[in-house]
């Protein structure tokens, strides 16, 4: 409120500023500045207008401006700010409705929002008034003229003259050429008649007209509980109400209903301001006379009224005897008031307070009369009715026009949403949900709606009937359904005494939408799966799981189901009723079933005891989803195999092993291994899947086709039934059983090798176990004429893995070496430790090694293998690659030579010749340790004796690399470290690493 008032004052200052600028521009500034000198400005205040009117009217018989010094109670004028930041109760209520339709009622409290003030006192100006009574008003005929009044006598006829005459202290009016006339105490009408008649009798040819001029000021006394008691000068025309309004008003401790006007010691009249304020009646208002006394006694009995009434406040009561009378003082009830829930806080015998409800149900008439009788100090709380919106249904979610709609009897879903045109883009056209409030308990109930059937068959049961206060929710297919229902699920949990058994359930695994969802009462599995988006393609139709916590024992119970059987027989055991708190697990081929069921398996283990074994079984070996599974009632070997999603391609379907735990004498644990005819249980599982797959087609066929199709499946179904119930071939499982399928003997996954380069038919070849390089090269038509088998590059995945391990080990050694050099405290450490550019180079080499990737290269005699020589031929593995290049024409020289470069190959050149062609070894080069890496990856290096000269004198082959290493004997520690880094790099190169 202060902020808004400040803004209003700022706006006013801006208006004055802009006005002054405007007047200055048009040349009217002197006129505005001279407003005090009787100039009339363009914009003038009411105060200036009143003062100018008084100055102009005084010489012409109008009331004079009051004498400031004569008014000993004059107060400065300050405009009372308008009510800001305050809203009426009606406005506040309507503002709440602008937020939209909602069925969420706020909690009703007995707290009142508005502070209560004393009624009527705000009618008085806060800081007085600038007037002592009415001015420029007609003088009533009954006005009693007295000393100080001015009368205007106008003579017309043979003479026209006007006299302005003041009544003397003796009460006479001295009329020239006529004489004195005693007028004091006479009414204005009597004086007018007296002078007019006298002139007509005594002056021939002249007539007189009398009018009232300036009215005298009189003195009255203010006493009692008024804001400014004392003597005040007021106009002779002032009334009791005029004085009260112009003198600052009445204190909050003074009465507004028993204001007394005393004259000569006697009470002339008693004024009730409530008559004026509430009914606009001023019947007891009386004109004042000199020396009248206005007495305001203390306030009388009061009652307070708050809440849903027109004018909440504190009221003084006199003739009001009942609570209903007090409510009338407050302007009556609002439409939202609820007397049934309201009450009166009453003081009982000055001892304590209590609450009474005169409008309570079931009380007698006499008791109501007693309760409704008003008592001083009563505090009447008129409370609002329940914020309950009835006779509506609410549509929310992914629709074009969400909001509230009128509820009509026999209203159904399609009356609210008649076509798909009412849905927004991206809305789910298959499933909707209705949240319903139960009238008796107020708790929430859920109803599922099949939108397609509801709109296609309006008269069917799928077109759900609606009830008042239903909320229909339409979902978006792009958003998480659990997220869209999060608040509803939370509310349903809060409504339940046991949150674990709230009317919600969970879907996990292979479902379009997973998470917690509200549950429709008495719903079966297939019904509740619709809220999760229905059954997806690829869902395991044979095996699913429901985890259930018993409400009283809190024990976990697991029930398996077959979606295929549930669809074929919706009333059967495979389409169970879903209970609050159930957890539904759906699987496909990609889901790790044991991991998804980990929580349930853990609970089954925890609730096992001395007398209760773990209700778990396990599938091992070559099954698609090995792991532990809950043991359900009547579960057999074929069920466990189907739960594990059957055998994978490596599984041996002729034989399996069942390991069964037995407890001897209650203590000793033994394990028995039983051979199982795997063919039977594999066939049972495969047949069951096939039957369920075929039964899915029944939904899309007519009755004739269904009967024919069932007859064709009867033999298969009969065989499956007989085999499934055979305890010898398909025994029932007990806790702890483990079924193991081994791998097919001699099984190998499909292996492929890649031949490229100079071979007869390059490409990818599928190989069998034990197939050799020679055999594959024959299939590829051998080597091409331009092939250079000596430089052939053969790579293998297993070798690449070994090289990667080696590379990681080298990297760790380099890191340790750098740390060791940095922390060394030997003499001249600063010269040994890498610093500046040397250190950066050192780290650069290490980082280069980090980016290195192993190639997996092996040295293979491809030429001998192509000729199928036993010593040269190798057995191939999956992923092997062979690239045979053409004959290269160059030799590479690197290391500590002056110009590392590439030279054309010549048959008569030796290794030393190529080194010399590169400028020879540098000062730091160690020529005797030079080595040659042949094109096939072989390394020739002899470090000692005379054999080193043989290396230098040897003839190299095309594509070879000649490397001259660094002489570490002439280096300090830092340089040695760097050299060792390069040695590691060279070692990595020898290991087939690509940099």
């Amino acid at each position: 409120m202060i902020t808004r008032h400040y803004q209003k004052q700022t706006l006013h200052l801006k208006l004055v500023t802009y006005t002054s600028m405007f007047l200055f521009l048009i040349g009217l500034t002197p006129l505005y500045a001279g407003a005090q000198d009787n100039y009339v400005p363009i914009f003038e205040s009411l105060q200036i207008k009143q003062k100018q009117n008084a100055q102009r009217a005084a010489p012409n018989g109008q009331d004079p401006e009051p004498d400031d010094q004569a008014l000993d109670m004059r107060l400065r004028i300050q405009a009372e700010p308008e009510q800001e930041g305050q809203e009426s109760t009606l406005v506040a209520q309507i503002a709440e409705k602008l937020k939209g339709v909602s069925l969420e009622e706020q909690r009703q409290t007995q707290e009142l929002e508005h502070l209560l003030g004393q009624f009527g006192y705000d009618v008085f100006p806060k800081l007085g008034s600038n007037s002592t009574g009415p001015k420029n008003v007609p003088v009533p005929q009954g006005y009693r003229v007295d000393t100080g009044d001015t009368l205007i006598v106008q003579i017309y006829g043979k003479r026209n003259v006007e006299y302005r005459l003041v009544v003397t202290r003796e009460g006479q009016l001295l009329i020239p050429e006529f004489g004195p006339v005693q007028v004091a105490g006479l009414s204005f009408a009597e004086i007018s008649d007296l002078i007019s008649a006298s002139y007509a009798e005594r002056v021939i040819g002249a007539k007189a007209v009398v009018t009232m001029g300036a009215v005298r000021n009189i003195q009255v006394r203010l006493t009692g509980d008024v804001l400014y008691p004392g003597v005040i000068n007021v106009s002779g025309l002032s009334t009791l109400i005029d004085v009260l309004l112009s003198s600052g008003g009445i204190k909050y401790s003074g009465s507004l209903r028993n204001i007394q006007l005393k004259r000569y010691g006697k009470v002339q009249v008693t004024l009730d301001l409530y008559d004026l304020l509430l009914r606009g009646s001023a019947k007891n208002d009386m004109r004042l006379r000199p020396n009248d006394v206005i007495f305001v006694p203390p306030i009388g009995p009061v009652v307070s009224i708050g809440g849903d009434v027109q004018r909440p406040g504190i009221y003084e009561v006199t003739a009001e005897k009942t609570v209903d009378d007090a409510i009338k003082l407050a302007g009556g009830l609002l439409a939202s008031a609820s007397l049934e829930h309201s009450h009166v806080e009453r003081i009982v015998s000055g001892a304590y307070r209590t609450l009474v409800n005169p409008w309570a149900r079931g009380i007698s008439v006499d008791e109501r009369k007693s309760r409704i009788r008003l008592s001083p100090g009563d505090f009447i709380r008129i409370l609002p009715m329940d914020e309950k919106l009835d006779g509506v249904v609410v549509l929310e979610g992914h629709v074009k026009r969400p909001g509230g709609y009128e509820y009509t009897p026999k209203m159904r879903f399609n009356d609210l949403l008649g076509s798909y045109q009412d849905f927004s883009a991206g809305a789910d056209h298959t499933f909707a949900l209705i949240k319903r409030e139960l009238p008796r308990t107020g708790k929430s109930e859920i109803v599922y709606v099949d939108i397609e059937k509801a709109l296609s068959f309006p008269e069917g049961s799928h077109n759900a009937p609606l009830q008042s206060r239903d909320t229909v929710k339409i979902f978006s297919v792009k958003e998480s359904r659990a997220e869209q229902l999060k608040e509803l699920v939370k509310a349903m949990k809060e409504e339940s005494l046991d949150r674990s058994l709230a009317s919600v359930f969970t879907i996990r695994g292979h479902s379009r939408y997973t998470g917690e969802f509200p549950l429709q009462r008495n719903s079966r599995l297939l019904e509740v799966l619709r809220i999760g988006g229905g059954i997806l393609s690829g869902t395991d139709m044979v095996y699913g799981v429901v985890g259930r916590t018993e409400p009283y024992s809190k024990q976990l119970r697991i029930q398996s189901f077959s979606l295929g059987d549930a669809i074929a027989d919706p009333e059967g055991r495979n389409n169970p009723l879903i209970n609050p708190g159930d957890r539904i697990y759906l699987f496909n081929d990609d889901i790790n079933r044991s991991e998804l069921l980990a929580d349930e398996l853990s609970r089954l283990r925890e609730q096992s005891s001395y007398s209760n074994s773990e209700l778990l079984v396990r599938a091992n070996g070559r099954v698609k989803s090995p792991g532990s599974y809950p043991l359900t009632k009547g579960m057999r070997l074929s069920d466990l195999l189907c739960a594990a999603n059957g055998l994978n391609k490596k599984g041996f379907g002729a034989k399996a092993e069942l390991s069964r735990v037995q407890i001897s004498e209650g203590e000793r644990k033994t394990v028995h291994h039983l051979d199982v005819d795997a063919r039977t249980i594999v066939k049972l599982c495969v047949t069951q899947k096939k039957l369920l797959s075929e039964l899915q087609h029944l939904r899309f066929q007519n009755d004739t086709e269904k009967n024919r199709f069932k007859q064709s499946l009867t033999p298969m179904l009969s065989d499956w039934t007989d085999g499934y119930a055979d305890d010898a071939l398909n025994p029932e499982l007990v806790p702890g059983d483990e079924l193991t399928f081994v791998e097919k003997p001699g099984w190998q996954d499909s292996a492929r090798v890649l031949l490229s380069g100079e071979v007869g038919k390059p490409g990818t070849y599928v190989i069998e176990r034990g197939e050799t390089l020679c055999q594959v090269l024959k299939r590829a038509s051998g080597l091409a004429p331009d092939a250079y088998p000596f430089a052939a590059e053969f790579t293998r995945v297993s070798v690449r893995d070994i090289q990667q391990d080696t590379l990681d080990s080298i990297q760790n050694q380099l890191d340790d070496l750098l740390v060791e050099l940095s922390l060394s405290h030997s003499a001249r450490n600063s010269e040994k430790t890498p610093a500046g550019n040397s250190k950066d180079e050192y780290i650069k080499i290490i980082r280069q090694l980090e980016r290195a990737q192993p190639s997996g290269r092996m040295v293979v005699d491809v030429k001998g293998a192509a000729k199928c020589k036993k010593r040269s031929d190798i057995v191939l593995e999956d992923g092997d690659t062979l690239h045979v290049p053409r004959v290269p024409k160059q030799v590479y020289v690197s290391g500590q030579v002056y110009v590392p470069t590439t030279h054309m190959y010549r048959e008569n050149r030796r290794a030393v010749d190529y080194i010399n062609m590169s400028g020879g070894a540098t000062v730091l080069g160690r020529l005797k340790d030079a080595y040659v890496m042949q094109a096939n990856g072989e390394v020739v290096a002899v470090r000692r004796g005379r054999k080193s000269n043989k290396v230098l004198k040897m003839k190299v082959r095309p594509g070879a690399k000649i490397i001259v290493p660094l002489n570490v004997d002439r280096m300090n520690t830092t340089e040695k470290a760097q050299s060792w880094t390069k040695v590691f790099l060279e070692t990595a190169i020898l290991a087939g690493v690509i940099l």
Side-chain angles (χ1 to χ4, degrees), residues 818-834:
L818 179 60
V819 174
E820 181 180 350
L821 292 174
S822 300
L823 299 179
S824 175
H825 295 287
S826 59
R828 301 174 67 184
N829 185 56
S830 59
E831 298 179 4
K832 304 176 195 176
T833 305

Side-chain angles (χ1 to χ4, degrees), residues 816-850:
D816 295 341
L817 180 60
L818 179 60
V819 174
E820 181 180 350
L821 292 174
S822 300
L823 299 179
S824 175
H825 295 287
S826 59
R828 301 174 67 184
N829 185 56
S830 59
E831 298 179 4
K832 304 176 195 176
T833 305
N837 295 332
S838 298
K839 184 175 181 180
D840 293 340
E841 184 67 23
Y842 190 97
I843 296 176
K844 180 179 179 181
I845 294 173
I846 296 178
R847 293 293 177 261
Q848 183 180 4
L849 189 59
E850 289 178 348

